[in-house]
Amino acid sequence: MTTVDPHAQDGAEPARTAPCPAPSVRPDPSPLRFHGAVALVVGAAHGIGAATAERLAAEGASVVAADLDLEAATARVASLPRIGEADHAAVGLDVTDRGGVDEAFAEIAERFARIDVLAHVAGGNVDHGGPAQTGDEVWEGLLDLNLMGPVRTVRAALPLLRRSDRAAIVTISSVNALVVIGGEPYAAAKSGLLAFTQNLAAHVAADGIRANAVAPGTVRTRVWHGVEGGADSLAPLYPLGRVGEAADVAAAVAFLASDEAAWITGVVLPVDGGLLLQGPGPGHG
Ligand SMILES: NC(=O)c1ccc[n+]([C@@H]2O[C@H](COP(=O)([O-])OP(=O)(O)OC[C@H]3O[C@@H](n4cnc5c(N)ncnc54)[C@H](O)[C@@H]3O)[C@@H](O)[C@H]2O)c1
């Protein structure tokens, strides 16, 4: 919360002396870290975004669930917990449609005076061949969805985030941005998203806005339904013995968005069951 300058003149705008106060070493036992906060979750209808919306609402936030799939976002909003005065809303938003993003934010601004948390989760990958077979259309589509999408939502959200005294942005990258797993356009887009998030963090820090990224490993969502063996077939790759659940990622997003992370900005947090720990194995170093 902002510390108010006691010397400010009556009626004058109070000076912001501590935009990111330190958390107490004896934290408030209340689990409602987002009580009174407005959280915009982009891609909230399904998967990791839906779990993030659920988690933030359960901790007291008013959630704006934005998604391409407005019908599913509306159903999601209806099922979210409502704590106290929380007021959830569903908004149709295609992050690949520049004009549409601006229209959606005009709708959000009519209903909410500010945004405290922006969790940009929407993204995805498609099947395509190796570098020699992958044409411009696939590259442009994946870069547009996974890199320009978050760029557009952050750009449109900044005026509303600047009205908050605890603003935090969390983007969802991927372990594909950190190690070579395959899928060049997706990996390039998610690496670009990390660079964008870190440059953004440096740029908006003076406004008291934090920006961090989460890099999940395999998370059991609908995107794995068509894959032979499903997400669980990849469990043996994970030192912790299982693939991730959407709730694992939502918990990390909630931490980075909360005041407990008040002095953390510009980081990428892998949420990967230890996947990135693995080197070439014993005897190689
Ligand atoms: N599932 C995984 O294994 C995994 C791993 C690493 C990173 N990720 C990333 O996590 C994020 C969420 O993935 P998920 O597995 O939950 O996927 P999902 O398909 O279950 O959910 C994605 C959500 O984004 C929405 N969306 C898609 N395109 C959109 C657009 N153009 N505009 C607005 N909304 C749009 C969808 O409607 C859906 O609600 C993605 O960015 C993905 O790249 C997923």
Short mmCIF file of all heavy atoms in Angstrom, two decimals, residues 2 15 60 78 84 100 157 190 251 256 267:
data_model
loop_
_atom_site.label_atom_id
_atom_site.label_comp_id
_atom_site.label_asym_id
_atom_site.label_seq_id
_atom_site.Cartn_x
_atom_site.Cartn_y
_atom_site.Cartn_z
N THR A 2 0.39 2.35 -0.56
CA THR A 2 1.19 3.57 -0.63
C THR A 2 1.29 4.23 0.75
O THR A 2 0.32 4.29 1.49
CB THR A 2 0.51 4.56 -1.59
OG1 THR A 2 0.37 3.91 -2.83
CG2 THR A 2 1.32 5.82 -1.74
N ALA A 15 2.17 12.68 -1.82
CA ALA A 15 3.35 12.16 -2.51
C ALA A 15 3.45 10.67 -2.29
O ALA A 15 3.14 10.17 -1.21
CB ALA A 15 4.60 12.87 -1.98
N GLY A 60 -9.86 -13.00 -2.74
CA GLY A 60 -10.55 -11.74 -2.52
C GLY A 60 -10.66 -10.80 -3.70
O GLY A 60 -11.34 -9.77 -3.60
N ALA A 78 -19.30 -16.97 -13.56
CA ALA A 78 -20.45 -17.37 -12.74
C ALA A 78 -20.04 -18.35 -11.65
O ALA A 78 -20.68 -18.41 -10.59
CB ALA A 78 -21.52 -17.99 -13.64
N GLY A 84 -16.65 -10.94 -0.09
CA GLY A 84 -17.01 -9.55 0.26
C GLY A 84 -17.68 -8.84 -0.89
O GLY A 84 -18.65 -9.33 -1.47
N GLY A 100 -9.74 -4.59 -31.47
CA GLY A 100 -10.58 -5.29 -30.50
C GLY A 100 -10.04 -5.17 -29.09
O GLY A 100 -10.81 -5.06 -28.12
N ALA A 157 -3.43 -1.77 -20.93
CA ALA A 157 -3.73 -1.82 -19.49
C ALA A 157 -2.96 -0.78 -18.69
O ALA A 157 -3.39 -0.42 -17.58
CB ALA A 157 -3.40 -3.21 -18.94
N LYS A 190 8.02 -16.99 -27.00
CA LYS A 190 8.05 -17.00 -25.53
C LYS A 190 9.36 -16.41 -25.00
O LYS A 190 9.38 -15.85 -23.90
CB LYS A 190 7.84 -18.42 -25.01
CG LYS A 190 6.42 -18.97 -25.26
CD LYS A 190 5.35 -18.21 -24.47
CE LYS A 190 4.00 -18.93 -24.48
NZ LYS A 190 2.95 -18.21 -23.74
N ALA A 251 -0.72 -20.68 -8.55
CA ALA A 251 -0.14 -20.33 -7.25
C ALA A 251 1.08 -19.43 -7.42
O ALA A 251 1.29 -18.47 -6.66
CB ALA A 251 0.23 -21.59 -6.48
N LEU A 256 3.60 -13.90 -7.36
CA LEU A 256 4.29 -12.79 -8.02
C LEU A 256 3.41 -11.54 -8.09
O LEU A 256 3.91 -10.42 -8.09
CB LEU A 256 4.75 -13.20 -9.42
CG LEU A 256 5.94 -14.17 -9.45
CD1 LEU A 256 6.18 -14.67 -10.87
CD2 LEU A 256 7.21 -13.52 -8.89
N VAL A 267 11.84 -10.77 -12.97
CA VAL A 267 12.38 -12.14 -12.90
C VAL A 267 11.52 -13.09 -13.74
O VAL A 267 10.38 -12.79 -14.07
CB VAL A 267 12.45 -12.69 -11.45
CG1 VAL A 267 13.23 -11.76 -10.56
CG2 VAL A 267 11.07 -12.98 -10.89
#
